Amino acid sequence: MHSGPSAPGDETIKWLSVSAAIASISVVGIAIGIGMPLLSVILEGRGHSATMIGLNTAMAGLASIVAAPCATPLAARFGVVWTMLAMIVVGAVSFIGFYAAPDFWMWFPLRAALHFSITIVFILSEFWIATSAPAAKRGFILGIYATVLSLGFAFGPWLFSQVGSQGFLPFGITFAIVMVAALPVLAALKESPRIDTTPTGTRFVGYIWLVPMATAAVLVFGAVETGGFALFPVYGTRIGYSEADAALLLTAVGLGNVLMQIPLGLISDRIGDRRHLLMICAAIGLAGMVALPFVAHDWYLTAGVLFAWGGVVAGLYTVGLAHLGSRLSGRDLASANAAFVLCYGIGMLLGPQAIGIGMDLFGPNGFAYAIMIFFAGYLGLGAVRLGSGSGRG
């Protein structure tokens, strides 16, 4: 089974491939960063309720879940690069569609098309990176990927703050940014990884359980990241912080995320079994939430805890992806990457619900309690997997 451009034992980083995949997905990250607030602000300006705005936004998670099983068959049939290019065009055109669509109902299929295409691009770019990075440097390369992607997500809202939500300009800029993502992909056309067209016999759902320490890690990360970012402003104001101070605390989480992924990736390359590092990340995630209610009265202490917490917890994604790449190759790796992104989507759906229920039941501290449950569950899974001596996942 062909596992892509990196031959076994080859320790050379395929920089053209890595750069193409990272550049394309980071540009898509910028587009998401500007698109999410832009669409919400426009809908609110048109008088739609928060519930309806949330319902429309939820199409993103559902579209991701539907898209995940489609990524490998599409790429096997049409090629990784051509599938990515087609999805980039679909995403860009869908975004222009929001500007052109006069009726709210039209935004639902448009949101579905946008996030279906984005999900495929995410899955295939991660597969491309994993096959282009030699085993000994996979964590380092994925650390660069996670760092640049985080910067892209952060740049998007800043760009939105500069161009605003009026007229065609924000849509035109986003369309142009997404189309720019096609250029590095085209440049690396000849280094595109190939996926075996013969199905492996493993059903898609089976890939979720194939390397469970990786897929569970990204589910937990998706839950605590999405739920945490969505509800932390509410938590912050309920314990007495201003909106601005609560927003700055979220910035501390984001800074930790950006600054710590490359160091965590480098550490993961020096560890024989990355599952131990995943367990450490989850344990620090749990400890951070245990500490939060005790330090929350002091803004600076809280910022310090959240900076470290945000950086280490994001390692569940980076190290989880590296662990996946170290266990599988070829079509199996592409399908497992898709399952990995599917689990992230499931986490996106579970996290906000669980944290919201926690805060309704237990007051502000329910925010930390709900997040603790996710980390405790992961640590329990890890104890079982490592205790049983399971070699693969």
Side-chain angles (χ1 to χ4, degrees), residues 124-162:
L124 295 181
S125 69
E126 289 178 354
F127 168 68
W128 197 350
I129 291 167
T131 59
S132 302
K137 296 170 183 169
R138 186 174 283 118
F140 169 61
I141 295 297
L142 289 169
I144 295 174
Y145 162 75
T147 301
V148 178
L149 182 59
S150 297
L151 289 170
F153 278 126
F155 181 73
W158 176 85
L159 189 59
F160 173 63
S161 73
Q162 301 302 303

Side-chain angles (χ1 to χ4, degrees), residues 142-226:
L142 289 169
I144 295 174
Y145 162 75
T147 301
V148 178
L149 182 59
S150 297
L151 289 170
F153 278 126
F155 181 73
W158 176 85
L159 189 59
F160 173 63
S161 73
Q162 301 302 303
V163 300
S165 62
Q166 299 302 308
F168 180 74
L169 181 63
F171 292 94
I173 288 174
T174 307
F175 176 86
I177 287 172
V178 174
M179 291 307 293
V180 164
L183 300 177
V185 177
L186 267 175
L189 177 61
K190 290 182 180 177
E191 291 199 14
S192 168
R194 292 185 297 278
I195 296 175
D196 192 342
T197 54
T198 307
T200 58
T202 303
R203 295 182 63 182
F204 178 74
V205 173
Y207 286 100
I208 295 173
W209 315 113
L210 206 56
V211 190
M213 287 289 285
T215 47
V218 78
L219 189 150
V220 170
F221 176 65
V224 301
E225 181 200 41
T226 307

Side-chain angles (χ1 to χ4, degrees), residues 77-130:
R77 181 166 182 179
F78 300 109
V80 171
V81 163
W82 294 114
T83 304
M84 286 178 71
L85 291 172
M87 291 298 116
I88 286 168
V89 171
V90 169
V93 172
S94 300
F95 206 83
I96 291 292
F98 289 107
Y99 177 76
D103 297 322
F104 179 52
W105 68 265
M106 298 177 181
W107 282 45
F108 285 86
L110 285 169
R111 183 87 74 162
L114 174 65
H115 285 276
F116 182 96
S117 60
I118 284 172
T119 300
I120 300 287
V121 174
F122 260 100
I123 290 167
L124 295 181
S125 69
E126 289 178 354
F127 168 68
W128 197 350
I129 291 167

Side-chain angles (χ1 to χ4, degrees), residues 225-250 359 367:
E225 181 200 41
T226 307
F229 268 80
L231 289 162
F232 189 84
V234 179
Y235 169 77
T237 51
R238 285 189 184 177
I239 62 171
Y241 288 119
S242 67
E243 283 186 13
D245 281 344
L248 281 173
L249 287 172
L250 273 185
M359 291 176 73
F367 176 87

